[in-house]
Amino acid sequence: MHVIVAGAGQVGSAIARYLAKVGNDVTVIDQNAELAQRIGDALDIQAVVGHAALPSTLERAGAADADLLVAVTHVDEVNIVACQVAHSLFNVPTRIARIREQDYLEGRFADLFRREHIPVDVVISPEREVAQAIALRLLVPGALTVVPFADDLVRLVALRIDETASVIDTPLRELTALFPDLHLVCVGIVRGERFFVPGGDDRILVGDEVFFVCETAHLGRALPVFGQSEPSPSRLVIVGGGNIGLRLAEIIESHHAEIACKVIEASPARADLVAQRLHHAVVLCGDGRSRDTLLEAGVDGAGAIVAVTNDDDINILTSLLAKRLGCPRALALITRSDYEILTADIGIDVTINPRDTTVSSILGHIRRGRIRAVHTIRDGAAEVFEAEALETSPIVGQPLRELKAPGLVLGAVVRQGRVIAPRGDTVVRAGDRVIIAARAETVKRVEQLFAVRLDYF
């Protein structure tokens, strides 16, 4: 597949790296010649210097033969026009655009991105995706990551293990016998800086970051197994009233009215706008790094603080100050990868990187076969898929123990709305939705397992 990635920033370079790694023909476009050349050399892919919305630039990038355009420059309008040009002049079959400006995404303008108007097949809104991801993590005590699959019948959850977990030093193959009523499978472990897909003889150790797939209805009983028993917060402080902070507050108001929410925003004009958009939340105008402002917002009695300004340093300092003032849990938006390795050591409980969320959303629309959703782990070290099995998919009709794929583990099978914990004798049927984790080098095998012969259609 020939893919053009317009924009060589964090998201664009991550997408290019993932797609090139699994054998796609990738071309990156960026106006910054040095950045484009660096990425081209690092990934051994073609790099084109130019404005991504110009026909001549897309032509040099090979748009005439491209299967997909992923437009993720920093300017919405460039992404939109690039999709229009790719459709009108080069007939690129699929076009994905990252759109940040919320006005484009208003429900009353829903017809804007249609083939007969502006031909964008998939619109990715990082702010909305990130706000939803934060809301999910807030409601699962101790969660570093929460990703819903199969219409939220199943969730991928990541937790950091401390001394209170009852599964410490237990071989993973024994979890089924110890907790027979829990539909739960460990699909990944981060130990130190190393990520691995565990086998049955591997054990969970203190300090591990554990990724497990669990039936959503069983999650409340599964968390104490891993040492997490705190309640969800009843009071929340959000620092930053930008698109992410506002969207998060709206989600809390709409779906979790039991949580009292306060928003701190530094800009008076923006604070006024946020106050107009929200119905119940209290909006304060002030600096989140100010002790007095945080105390006025009641951070010392809040269950969590979420720092989502557009400045990493402010988010880190605000989170640390809030923890010092007595807030038990701090979540911070961090865009710089260099900072992520430090945050856990200095006391920030959860970091949210919008790049990871955006990349996962885009990959869910790119992967071949019947792949419905994708979530990347540890900057692409592994991916968790939701895939649909059709009648001629190779995975259908054989016991799971016969699948010869090191670095691959099945987390759950969803059949007609019922979650099945996979065992060696489990047989996947046509129509099943399968949650499966795979190391980066095994991703192509997953696509093959769920591929469909052309004669099926």
Side-chain angles (χ1 to χ4, degrees), residues 183-200:
H183 291 168
L184 181 154
V185 177
C186 180
V187 297
I189 295 176
V190 176
R191 184 168 295 157
E193 292 300 312
R194 184 174 73 95
F195 171 87
F196 62 96
V197 174

Side-chain angles (χ1 to χ4, degrees), residues 164-186:
T164 63
S166 62
V167 292
I168 293 172
D169 207 30
T170 301
L172 293 178
R173 69 173 70 258
E174 295 182 12
L175 289 183
T176 300
L178 291 172
F179 309 102
D181 297 330
L182 284 180
H183 291 168
L184 181 154
V185 177
C186 180

Side-chain angles (χ1 to χ4, degrees), residues 283-340:
V283 181
L284 305 175
C285 184
D287 188 340
R289 295 166 294 181
S290 163
R291 182 177 187 273
D292 291 340
T293 300
L294 288 175
L295 289 174
E296 183 182 357
V299 75
D300 50 333
I305 184 168
V306 180
V308 286
T309 75
N310 60 4
D311 187 307
D312 286 358
D313 295 340
I314 292 176
N315 294 338
I316 291 172
L317 291 172
T318 298
S319 299
L320 295 178
L321 180 56
K323 295 273 285 192
R324 179 64 63 90
L325 293 173
C327 187
R329 194 172 183 217
L331 296 83
L333 186 74
I334 306 292
T335 59
R336 290 185 57 175
S337 300
D338 297 345
Y339 284 179
E340 286 187 76

Side-chain angles (χ1 to χ4, degrees), residues 69-340:
L69 169 70
V70 181
V72 287
T73 75
H74 293 296
V75 182
D76 289 351
E77 289 72 22
V78 171
N79 297 336
I80 291 170
V81 174
C83 288
Q84 180 70 69
V85 172
H87 169 74
S88 300
L89 295 184
F90 301 105
N91 198 29
V92 176
T94 306
R95 301 153 303 276
I96 297 174
R98 178 173 62 180
I99 305 294
R100 284 197 169 99
E101 175 54 60
Q102 299 301 294
D103 198 59
Y104 286 124
L105 307 175
E106 286 285 338
R108 55 203 173 105
F109 304 138
D111 287 345
L112 180 61
F113 297 108
R114 291 175 57 181
R115 185 173 290 267
E116 60 269 30
H117 298 148
I118 298 177
V120 177
D121 297 296
V122 180
V123 173
I124 301 296
S125 170
E127 287 78 7
R128 294 191 176 197
E129 302 269 356
V130 170
Q132 184 61 46
I134 295 172
L136 285 169
R137 294 177 205 194
L138 278 171
L139 297 169
V140 179
L144 306 174
T145 298
V146 180
V147 182
F149 290 101
D151 301 323
D152 205 16
L153 289 171
V154 174
R155 288 185 177 182
L156 170 72
V157 179
L159 299 169
R160 187 166 287 111
I161 303 300
D162 62 21
E163 297 82 357
T164 63
S166 62
V167 292
I168 293 172
D169 207 30
T170 301
L172 293 178
R173 69 173 70 258
E174 295 182 12
L175 289 183
T176 300
L178 291 172
F179 309 102
D181 297 330
L182 284 180
H183 291 168
L184 181 154
V185 177
C186 180
V187 297
I189 295 176
V190 176
R191 184 168 295 157
E193 292 300 312
R194 184 174 73 95
F195 171 87
F196 62 96
V197 174
D201 294 326
D202 285 305
R203 300 166 184 258
I204 295 173
L205 304 180
V206 173
D208 284 351
E209 184 177 326
V210 175
F211 292 80
F212 64 93
V213 171
C214 181
E215 182 173 356
T216 303
H218 293 186
L219 190 54
R221 292 189 289 127
L223 291 174
V225 171
F226 296 96
Q228 302 295 335
S229 56
E230 302 90 351
S232 299
S234 59
R235 297 171 63 187
L236 171 67
V237 176
I238 300 171
V239 179
N243 288 336
I244 294 175
L246 174 57
R247 181 62 182 163
L248 175 60
E250 289 175 335
I251 291 172
I252 297 299
E253 282 196 342
S254 301
H255 303 289
H256 307 286
E258 72 280 4
I259 300 177
C261 181
K262 293 186 179 179
V263 180
I264 299 173
E265 166 55 42
S267 163
R270 182 67 185 183
D272 285 342
L273 185 148
V274 172
Q276 293 171 21
R277 291 278 297 271
L278 300 175
H279 303 293
H280 306 295
V282 175
V283 181
L284 305 175
C285 184
D287 188 340
R289 295 166 294 181
S290 163
R291 182 177 187 273
D292 291 340
T293 300
L294 288 175
L295 289 174
E296 183 182 357
V299 75
D300 50 333
I305 184 168
V306 180
V308 286
T309 75
N310 60 4
D311 187 307
D312 286 358
D313 295 340
I314 292 176
N315 294 338
I316 291 172
L317 291 172
T318 298
S319 299
L320 295 178
L321 180 56
K323 295 273 285 192
R324 179 64 63 90
L325 293 173
C327 187
R329 194 172 183 217
L331 296 83
L333 186 74
I334 306 292
T335 59
R336 290 185 57 175
S337 300
D338 297 345
Y339 284 179
E340 286 187 76

